[in-house]
Amino acid sequence: MIIWSGWGMLSALIAAAGLVVSVLLDPALARIGIPTPTGVVLVWVVAAAFNWWLGTRLNDLPGRELVDPRTGQIVILRGRHTLFWIPMQYYPVLMVVLGILSVLGAMHGGSPGRKAGQAARAHTPAASNPLRVAVTGTTPPKWLNGGREVAWASTSFRG
């Protein structure tokens, strides 16, 4: 359940748009030689700046003054633009934190001990000893360098 007042829902939409654009922009920038986290940083900084500007502009609009006829007190009515009771202009702090976490995730490649940009490799005993295939209809081969035979099947393929 999302709770907002006024235009506060725009903060969530700006964050979602920032996420989508950073996912699309970062690989495009990497293809032309710009380092990977640059697109993420750029998008989150722009989204945070835009959200702060829009939130301060909307929440600082002048209110409407009303006078209570019984007491003579002046009451100012203002529209508030909040998301989960937090004014829009404070969400850029969260966006910057998300941007920092995205950069850290991009730099570490998602798994411990692996440098950024390295492809994941299967870490099984079979990966270090590739499967050797023999041609059918011959005698079992004698492997060089002490290689071991995984299986020997006598099948023929005829087209």
Side-chain angles (χ1 to χ4, degrees):
M1 183 164 157
I2 298 176
I3 302 166
W4 76 90
S5 66
W7 289 100
M9 185 61 167
L10 286 178
S11 291
L13 295 176
I14 291 169
L19 179 66
V20 169
V21 171
S22 69
V23 167
L24 296 176
L25 182 67
D26 202 40
L29 291 177
R31 273 187 247 129
I32 61 173
I34 297 173
T36 298
T38 305
V40 173
V41 171
L42 179 67
V43 167
W44 283 109
V45 166
V46 168
F50 179 68
N51 194 37
W52 176 80
W53 174 80
L54 187 63
T56 55
R57 187 167 175 100
L58 288 174
N59 282 324
D60 288 344
L61 291 174
R64 192 172 133 195
E65 289 187 10
L66 299 174
V67 178
D68 188 2
R70 274 204 286 165
T71 61
Q73 279 187 321
I74 297 175
V75 178
I76 299 174
L77 294 179
R78 273 189 203 162
R80 290 194 41 146
H81 305 280
T82 63
L83 179 66
F84 293 111
W85 305 284
I86 299 172
M88 280 181 70
Q89 63 264 27
Y90 299 128
Y91 276 97
V93 174
L94 179 63
M95 290 181 184
V96 169
V97 169
L98 287 175
I100 290 170
L101 291 175
S102 299
V103 168
L104 290 175
M107 288 174 56
H108 288 291
S111 71
R114 187 169 24 144
K115 294 180 183 172
Q118 281 184 333
R121 293 180 54 177
H123 205 64
T124 61
S128 62
N129 190 6
L131 176 67
R132 297 183 175 125
V133 178
V135 179
T136 60
T138 62
T139 59
K142 295 185 179 170
W143 305 111
L144 299 175
N145 298 329
R148 61 188 172 98
E149 182 178 335
V150 175
W152 182 261
S154 175
T155 58
S156 61
F157 296 101
R158 294 185 184 169

